[in-house]
């Protein structure tokens, strides 16, 4: 149960390699991948975990090996969190930055297509912001995949003299 088939350091190396590879793949797949999970997205996450499980453990089924891998993944995640919190450049690299997808009631088709933002997503974000399209000042695709809509401030009447 506690006897490991591999040296302890190999679990750390395997965990780090798989973690960094998956981090890169998720970042490259786009923002909309990490926002609200659809059943298809959940299936991909489950299959990803199954696909990399042997790569993580190298066939070792020991409790100690599993705990070393778990500790490695948690330490890497905490390290990336600390790097992101302390460096704007690292935060942009790991988390991404907001992308302007619309202004003055007009959504930019090329930007929306490149970021896989569909018409239904746009309509939903306008409803959530209680904002008609013509009232929209600007709209952003956030790093977490959500869409933020900023409503144009109400026009004020000029002062009467």
């Amino acid at each position: 149960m506690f006897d490991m088939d591999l040296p302890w350091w190999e679990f750390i190396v395997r965990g780090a390699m798989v973690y960094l590879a998956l981090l890169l793949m998720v970042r490259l797949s786009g923002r909309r991948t990490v926002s609200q999970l659809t059943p298809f997205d959940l299936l991909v996450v489950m299959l990803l975990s199954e696909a990399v499980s042997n790569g993580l453990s190298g066939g070792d089924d020991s409790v100690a090996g599993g705990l070393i891998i778990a500790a490695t993944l948690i330490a890497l995640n905490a390290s990336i969190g600390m790097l992101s919190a302390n460096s704007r450049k690292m935060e942009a690299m790991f988390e991404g930055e907001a992308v302007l997808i619309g202004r003055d009631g007009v959504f930019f088709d090329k930007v929306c297509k490149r970021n896989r933002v569909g018409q239904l997503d746009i309509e939903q974000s306008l409803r959530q912001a209680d904002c008609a399209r013509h009232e929209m000042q600007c709209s952003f695709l956030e790093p977490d995949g959500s869409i933020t809509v900023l409503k144009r401030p109400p026009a004020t009447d000029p002062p009467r003299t």
Side-chain angles (χ1 to χ4, degrees):
M1 177 155 77
F2 289 101
D3 292 333
M4 297 185 293
D5 294 336
L6 302 171
W8 64 269
W9 57 266
E10 190 171 327
F11 291 107
I12 294 172
V13 171
R14 285 173 175 271
M17 287 173 52
V18 170
Y19 180 89
L20 295 172
L22 286 176
L23 178 66
L24 179 65
M25 285 185 235
V26 168
R27 283 290 291 133
L28 291 175
S29 70
R31 303 163 200 271
R32 299 300 289 172
T33 303
V34 294
S35 67
Q36 299 170 354
L37 291 178
T38 66
F40 303 108
D41 298 327
L42 181 59
L43 180 62
V44 169
V45 169
M46 290 171 27
L47 291 174
L48 275 175
S49 68
E50 183 63 28
V52 301
S53 65
N54 284 338
L56 283 171
S57 66
D60 184 295
D61 292 331
S62 68
V63 172
L67 292 175
I68 291 170
I69 293 169
T72 300
L73 296 175
I74 290 170
L76 283 169
N77 198 48
S79 299
I80 287 179
M82 287 185 349
L83 281 172
S84 295
N86 293 319
S87 167
R88 179 76 178 113
K89 190 179 280 189
M90 288 291 132
E91 181 181 32
M93 186 174 83
F94 291 124
E95 306 287 333
E97 294 180 322
V99 174
L100 181 68
I101 60 172
R103 175 174 283 152
D104 298 327
V106 177
F107 284 87
F108 310 135
D109 290 335
K110 287 182 180 179
V111 176
C112 288
K113 286 179 184 175
R114 181 174 57 240
N115 288 284
R116 296 190 303 271
V117 176
Q119 191 64 37
L120 294 175
D121 295 323
I122 291 170
E123 292 169 9
Q124 180 183 8
S125 66
L126 289 168
R127 283 192 303 274
Q128 286 176 337
D130 192 26
C131 179
R133 191 178 284 251
H134 70 275
E135 296 175 315
M136 179 194 74
Q137 181 175 6
C138 54
S139 183
F140 295 93
L141 176 61
E142 301 294 344
D144 68 356
S146 64
I147 298 172
T148 302
V149 175
L150 300 178
K151 204 172 188 179
R152 184 177 291 118
T156 56
D157 293 331
R160 296 181 188 197
T161 55

